[in-house]
């Protein structure tokens, strides 16, 4: 489900290229209308990746997602991390933007930011919990990868993956990741 016909066209094209077109249905709609697009309480797993930071309001999206899930069904939610954005701006020399991002209640640099919000692990977890989901795991995605010089990341890819795996679930490293991945369930 996506609001953008272009995004859905890309999905359909890629599904065909991967030979799974018969298993993928692209539906145009707002994320908070998901509950009306599928039978309530029937869905095994919802992936909501890189969406909560761009929608007008995240709460109705999570609420619709919970309504769609069957009891015991799972949600995989990926959101932009706030701390990584502060570090990234600062390391690029954009100290004003880093300060704005750290101070802004939504973790943005202001109106010209491409995202409407960024999350700390606690905020993202609280959002899902408030909607009735039980958060089972939180992982950081790209704890270090975006901070390293390209020569290091490209030169030692296997070592980087190994280090990322070692750090992904461990605060405080996890909480510095570019994205936070939350795995949650609707209680059975
Ligand atoms: C960064 S992309 C992520 C796409 C995909 N989930 C992924 O992980 O590759 C964000 C997507 O959210 C879509 N989007 C933005 N607002 C939306 C809304 N209110 N309801 C549904 N989709 C929305 C955009 O069209 C865009 O395709």
């Amino acid at each position: 489900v996506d609001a953008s016909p272009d995004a859905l066209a890309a999905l359909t094209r890629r599904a065909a290229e991967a030979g799974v077109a018969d298993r993928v249905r692209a539906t145009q709609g707002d994320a908070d209308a998901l509950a009306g697009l599928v039978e309530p309480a029937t869905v095994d797993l919802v992936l909501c990746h890189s969406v909560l930071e761009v929608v007008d309001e995240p709460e109705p999206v999570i609420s619709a997602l919970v309504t769609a899930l069957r009891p015991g069904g799972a949600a995989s939610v990926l959101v932009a991390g706030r701390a990584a954005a502060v570090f990234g701006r600062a390391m690029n020399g954009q100290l004003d933007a880093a300060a704005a991002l750290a101070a802004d209640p939504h973790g943005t640099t202001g109106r010209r930011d491409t995202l409407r919000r960024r999350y700390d692990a606690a905020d993202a977890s609280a959002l899902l919990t408030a909607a009735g989901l039980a958060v089972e795991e939180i992982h950081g995605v790209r704890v270090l990868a975006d901070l390293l010089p390209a020569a290091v990341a490209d030169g030692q890819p296997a070592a980087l993956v190994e280090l990322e795996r070692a750090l992904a679930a461990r605060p405080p490293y996890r909480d510095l990741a570019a994205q936070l991945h939350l795995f949650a369930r609707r209680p059975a």
Side-chain angles (χ1 to χ4, degrees):
V1 176
D2 199 295
S4 156
D6 286 349
L8 296 172
L11 167 67
T12 303
R13 188 182 69 248
R14 288 179 189 161
E17 286 167 4
V20 294
D22 58 329
R23 298 169 60 190
V24 174
R25 184 158 51 96
T27 301
Q28 189 178 7
D30 204 273
D32 61 15
L34 176 67
L37 295 170
V38 297
E39 191 71 24
T42 60
V43 174
D44 294 318
L45 171 68
V46 176
L47 306 186
C48 181
H49 290 183
S50 309
V51 172
L52 295 183
E53 50 272 68
V54 298
V55 298
D56 291 343
E57 290 183 79
E59 289 84 0
V61 175
I62 296 297
S63 172
L65 179 160
V66 173
T67 302
L69 284 178
R70 67 167 170 79
S76 165
V77 177
L78 191 65
V79 294
R82 177 207 282 251
V86 173
F87 270 57
R89 299 301 191 286
M91 292 178 75
N92 281 335
Q94 301 171 266
L95 299 187
D96 288 348
L101 238 152
D104 181 56
H106 302 293
T108 75
T109 55
R111 283 193 185 163
R112 296 175 68 186
D113 201 317
T114 52
L115 300 184
R116 287 171 178 257
R117 60 193 70 80
R118 293 179 178 82
Y119 289 91
D120 298 323
D123 301 335
S125 186
L127 178 68
L128 303 195
T129 304
L133 290 170
V135 176
E136 295 186 352
E137 293 181 41
I138 304 178
H139 292 103
V141 177
R142 305 199 315 279
V143 174
L144 289 170
D146 295 1
L147 298 175
L148 297 179
V152 176
D154 294 345
Q156 306 175 61
L160 178 56
V161 168
E162 194 177 329
L163 184 54
E164 290 279 354
R165 285 204 172 121
L167 301 179
R170 289 171 55 191
Y173 313 108
R174 173 196 81 183
D175 300 333
L176 299 173
Q179 291 175 296
L180 298 168
H181 180 226
L182 292 89
F183 186 80
R185 267 183 210 285
R186 180 174 174 175

